[in-house]
Amino acid sequence: MEIDVINTHHQNTVRISKYRIYLLQFIYLATFISLGRFAWLEIFTHTQRLENFYGVTISLWAGYATLMAFGVYRPLKMIPMLILQLIYKSTWLLGVALPMWSAGTLDPTTSYWIKSWSFAVLINALVLPWPYIYQHFIKRRK
């Protein structure tokens, strides 16, 4: 079963599989639960002062995870959140992890993040409805 998404500016229709919608909702929910649990617990249960940069990072992740809950109910409207996730994880993999791997300085924690985020990047790239993204976020409106 597919869902027709009509672009009212161009009268074009983009077909999105209902299963793709379910997969998008699953990604939003999984991110909301896993990242949200980690970030909010860190904020409310830390026993020592958080370093500024780490505190900002955790706060950003808490807000980001909370916004992902909206994607469960409005999966197409919240696609920019998944694009952000794809970009920041890809950037980290290429700009931080790859140089560490090339230099032979990987530690077990970084190795874990490489596996986890590589999987997330792959899943996001496969699940995101690219024709819809092109038509609704990239294509110039006349």
Side-chain angles (χ1 to χ4, degrees), residues 50-67:
L50 296 177
E51 292 182 31
N52 287 335
F53 189 75
Y54 183 73
V56 168
T57 302
I58 292 298
S59 298
L60 177 72
W61 277 353
Y64 178 80
T66 302
L67 284 174

Side-chain angles (χ1 to χ4, degrees), residues 40-56:
W40 286 109
L41 280 175
E42 186 71 14
I43 288 170
F44 289 119
T45 63
H46 67 276
T47 56
Q48 298 178 8
R49 180 183 175 274
L50 296 177
E51 292 182 31
N52 287 335
F53 189 75
Y54 183 73
V56 168

Side-chain angles (χ1 to χ4, degrees), residues 3-72:
I3 297 171
D4 291 334
V5 180
I6 300 172
N7 184 342
T8 57
H9 297 286
H10 299 290
Q11 297 303 318
N12 293 335
T13 301
V14 176
R15 292 188 174 273
I16 300 176
S17 160
K18 194 169 189 175
Y19 298 109
R20 186 175 300 267
I21 297 291
Y22 293 150
L23 288 171
L24 288 168
Q25 289 173 316
F26 176 77
I27 292 171
Y28 291 119
L29 184 62
T31 304
F32 170 71
I33 292 170
S34 62
L35 183 60
R37 181 178 184 275
F38 166 75
W40 286 109
L41 280 175
E42 186 71 14
I43 288 170
F44 289 119
T45 63
H46 67 276
T47 56
Q48 298 178 8
R49 180 183 175 274
L50 296 177
E51 292 182 31
N52 287 335
F53 189 75
Y54 183 73
V56 168
T57 302
I58 292 298
S59 298
L60 177 72
W61 277 353
Y64 178 80
T66 302
L67 284 174
M68 290 299 249
F70 291 108
V72 175

Side-chain angles (χ1 to χ4, degrees), residues 108-125:
T109 301
T110 305
S111 294
Y112 167 80
W113 284 105
I114 288 172
K115 291 174 191 168
S116 175
W117 283 19
S118 295
F119 181 73
V121 165
L122 176 65
I123 294 301
N124 274 348

